[in-house]
């Protein structure tokens, strides 16, 4: 058990093994404590076409609990929370690979196991017609929408 | 033979106090580039956009909302941005308004803003946590931020959207009667000086002159009249990133 998972266990959390589309998996600490989304901020990141993080802003760093160095070069699914249904991410990838924008409510996992909700928009980045990656911008969602997702998402597994 | 003057324009949301500054900047531009440039000020965004569509603009200090059309449809290149300046938004209410956070605001309210497209868009995004959107507010569009403040003080509107720079530029007596609920911290959305296809041959010279401005007394005087400290070069990918970011926020 690594130090993060040990800390999660000690704080009443649990550990969970996530399996990703790329065949990889990892154990993550999960603590059922919400980190409030700060007012007035946008969380911004960019990835390459394979979903590897190439840029994060300070709000991303602050909310994820990871350092910028830990995030760059890492698959974006480092934020994947086990309560998020895989169908949501399949829908995301289907949309953006087809050149379309995707918008949805996402429960993200912090490094310390806590979570935060976002309203995310992801768009493909095209330069002279060539896909160079994706930009994702998250903003603060309303509590009403979060409650709707908390009811809906468990039914999608 | 003398060429037809190049056409320069400024995003209509500039502070009224800097109108003289832009005329001074245009005089500086003509001397620096040894060419004729006409400064045309449009009263609103719609008429300025129509001029862009008609290819009637060669140089523009552009609102970020218009950057996508300028770069991706009209072949403009982003030259520079004012050093250390980004477009941030303040959502404010009258001092005695009962709400202390955005979430406490309620649908059905009257909202005052200008036709400044990036400020209105970012302001509406910051109202989303209260389930407030264009369909459940009564929007009152004002021709200046001073009038947005007056809307709040006269209780014609309950909430106002301000460019942060304009909010903090209000008179002390006005500002004391208002209360910001939230200020954005987005940092990467900014106005920029963009150069069109007919002036592309002057790109390098103009960028160099802009960056040299703080080093000469004349240049420093022009910067002072605009209220800027310097011009910072903007890389092509930086403006593309800003356009992508704006695209995620629109619609």
């Amino acid at each position: 058990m690594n130090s993060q998972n040990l800390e999660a266990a000690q704080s009443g959390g649990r550990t969970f093994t996530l399996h990703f589309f790329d065949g990889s998996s990892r154990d993550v600490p999960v603590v059922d404590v919400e980190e409030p989304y700060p007012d007035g901020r946008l969380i911004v990141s960019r990835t390459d076409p394979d979903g590897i993080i190439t840029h994060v802003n300070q709000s991303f760093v602050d909310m994820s609990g990871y350092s910028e160095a830990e995030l760059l070069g890492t698959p974006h699914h480092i934020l994947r929370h086990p309560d998020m249904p895989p169908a949501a991410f399949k829908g995301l990838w289907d949309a953006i690979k087809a050149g379309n924008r995707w918008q949805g409510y996402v429960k993200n996992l912090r490094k310390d196991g806590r979570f935060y909700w976002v309203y995310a928009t992801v768009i493909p980045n095209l330069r002279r017609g060539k896909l160079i990656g994706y930009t994702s911008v998250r903003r603060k969602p309303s509590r009403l929408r979060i409650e709707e997702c908390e009811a809906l998402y468990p039914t999608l597994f | 033979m003398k060429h037809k003057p190049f056409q320069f324009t400024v995003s209509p949301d500039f502070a009224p106090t800097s109108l003289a500054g832009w005329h001074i900047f245009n005089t500086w531009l003509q001397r620096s580039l040894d060419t004729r440039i006409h400064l045309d000020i449009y009263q609103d965004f719609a008429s300025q956009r129509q001029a862009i569509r008609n290819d009637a603009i060669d140089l523009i200090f552009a609102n970020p909302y218009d950057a996508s059309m300028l770069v991706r449809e009209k072949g403009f290149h982003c030259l520079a941005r004012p050093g250390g300046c980004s477009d941030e938004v303040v959502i404010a209410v009258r001092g005695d308004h009962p709400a202390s956070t955005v979430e406490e605001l309620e649908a059905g309210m009257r909202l005052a803003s200008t036709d400044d497209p990036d400020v209105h868009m970012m302001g509406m995004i910051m109202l989303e946590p209260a389930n407030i959107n264009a369909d459940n507010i009564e929007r009152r569009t004002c021709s200046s931020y001073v009038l947005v403040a007056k809307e709040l003080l006269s209780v014609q509107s309950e909430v106002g959207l301000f460019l942060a720079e304009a909010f903090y530029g209000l008179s002390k007596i006005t500002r004391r009667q208002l209360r910001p609920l939230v200020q954005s911290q987005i940092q990467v959305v900014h106005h920029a000086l963009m150069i069109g296809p007919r002036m592309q041959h002057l790109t390098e010279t103009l960028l160099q002159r802009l960056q040299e401005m703080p080093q000469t007394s004349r240049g420093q005087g022009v910067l002072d009249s605009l209220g800027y400290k310097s011009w910072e070069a903007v890389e092509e990918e930086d403006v593309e990133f800003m356009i992508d970011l704006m695209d995620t926020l629109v619609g």
Side-chain angles (χ1 to χ4, degrees):
Chain A
M1 186 177 282
N2 65 30
S3 61
Q4 286 289 319
N5 294 352
L6 182 61
E7 198 177 310
Q10 287 170 342
S11 60
R14 54 200 157 105
T15 59
F16 197 97
T17 303
L18 283 174
H19 300 281
F20 302 109
F21 282 114
D22 61 9
S24 66
S25 64
R26 78 180 178 109
D27 291 338
V28 293
V30 178
V31 182
D32 290 326
V33 176
E34 182 168 6
E35 176 74 12
Y37 192 114
D39 285 321
R41 302 275 196 101
L42 294 179
I43 297 173
V44 181
S45 61
R46 281 189 289 178
T47 72
D48 69 12
D50 297 320
I52 305 298
I53 297 171
T54 57
H55 167 89
V56 290
N57 72 349
Q58 190 56 46
S59 296
F60 190 116
V61 172
D62 294 343
M63 284 301 282
S64 70
Y66 292 96
S67 69
E68 184 176 2
E70 286 174 312
L71 291 165
L72 298 181
T74 303
H76 212 288
H77 60 52
I78 191 172
L79 301 181
R80 167 92 175 273
H81 196 287
D83 291 350
M84 281 299 295
F89 295 107
K90 183 176 184 311
L92 184 161
W93 279 103
D94 286 350
I96 61 177
K97 281 187 173 175
N100 300 318
R101 99 178 19 222
W102 180 90
Q103 290 188 304
Y105 294 89
V106 179
K107 185 177 187 178
N108 277 335
L109 182 68
R110 288 168 50 92
K111 183 180 181 181
D112 62 10
R114 290 186 288 161
F115 67 89
Y116 59 100
W117 280 96
V118 299
Y119 179 51
T121 304
V122 187
I123 62 164
N125 304 141
L126 301 171
R127 302 288 184 267
R128 295 174 186 86
K130 185 175 175 240
L131 178 75
I132 63 155
Y134 302 99
T135 293
S136 177
V137 178
R138 297 82 162 178
R139 51 219 224 202
K140 186 172 185 172
S142 79
R143 186 48 55 183
L144 180 67
R145 297 283 170 265
I146 291 173
E147 286 166 4
E148 288 170 356
C149 293
E150 284 174 333
L152 174 68
Y153 286 179
T155 68
L156 300 179
F157 282 87
Chain B
M1 193 174 86
K2 275 190 175 179
H3 70 78
K4 193 178 156 198
F6 293 117
Q7 298 294 312
F8 171 44
T9 190
V10 177
S11 174
D13 56 352
F14 63 84
T17 50
S18 60
L19 177 60
W22 285 112
H23 281 283
I24 294 167
F25 179 76
N26 189 48
T27 303
W28 173 89
L29 269 177
Q30 295 181 80
R31 284 186 184 157
S32 299
L33 298 175
D34 192 23
T35 190
R36 292 194 302 148
I37 300 173
H38 173 68
L39 172 60
D40 209 352
I41 299 286
Y42 293 88
Q43 294 305 310
D44 53 57
F45 282 95
S47 53
Q48 188 180 71
R49 268 190 213 121
Q50 193 54 50
I52 296 168
R53 285 195 196 96
N54 294 343
D55 299 320
I57 307 293
D58 298 303
L59 186 69
I60 178 170
F61 185 64
N63 185 286
Y65 204 87
D66 294 325
S68 180
M69 175 170 60
L70 287 160
V71 171
R72 293 184 178 169
E73 295 173 31
K74 291 295 179 181
F76 277 65
H77 286 281
C78 188
L79 275 178
R81 61 181 286 191
C85 292
S86 59
D87 290 14
E88 302 293 353
V89 177
V90 167
I91 296 179
V93 293
R94 217 166 83 129
D96 58 1
H97 193 283
S100 58
T101 65
V102 162
E103 276 98 333
E104 292 169 38
L105 297 173
E106 291 179 358
M109 65 182 186
R110 290 180 305 275
L111 177 143
S113 67
T114 67
D115 69 345
D116 188 342
D118 69 330
V119 170
H120 187 75
M121 179 189 69
M122 291 192 291
M124 291 304 294
I125 284 171
M126 291 200 295
L127 290 170
E128 288 174 348
N131 291 304
I132 287 168
N133 57 58
D135 296 331
N136 61 21
I137 54 153
E138 182 188 331
R139 182 180 178 186
R140 294 171 65 90
T141 304
C142 305
S143 57
S144 74
Y145 289 108
V146 171
L147 292 178
V148 172
K150 282 186 178 166
E151 278 274 317
L152 299 181
L153 296 180
S154 61
V155 206
Q156 296 294 307
S157 291
E158 293 154 83
V159 173
L161 308 183
F162 295 85
L163 179 68
E165 191 182 311
F167 181 79
Y168 294 108
L170 294 170
S171 70
K172 276 186 187 167
I173 192 161
T174 301
R175 215 167 63 233
R176 267 196 223 115
Q177 298 175 76
L178 301 176
R179 181 160 43 85
L181 291 181
V182 62
Q183 176 169 340
S184 69
Q185 296 175 61
I186 296 170
Q187 292 151 0
V188 291
V189 174
H190 55 79
H191 281 57
L193 192 63
M194 297 193 173
I195 193 165
R198 284 188 295 267
M199 280 183 77
Q200 302 272 304
H201 60 289
L202 296 168
T203 298
E204 280 184 29
T205 309
L206 177 52
L207 182 58
Q208 190 182 346
R209 300 283 187 273
L210 289 167
Q211 291 179 304
E212 289 168 354
M213 282 179 88
Q215 295 158 26
T216 65
S217 59
R218 180 187 291 275
Q220 185 60 56
V222 177
L223 285 170
D224 290 344
S225 68
L226 290 170
Y228 299 147
K229 291 180 181 145
S230 61
W231 289 97
E232 287 174 3
V234 178
E235 299 295 326
E236 186 182 346
E237 184 51 33
D238 290 338
V239 77
E240 291 282 359
F241 173 50
M242 184 178 79
I243 292 169
D244 283 337
L245 192 144
M246 296 295 286
D247 281 351
T248 68
L249 302 178
V250 177

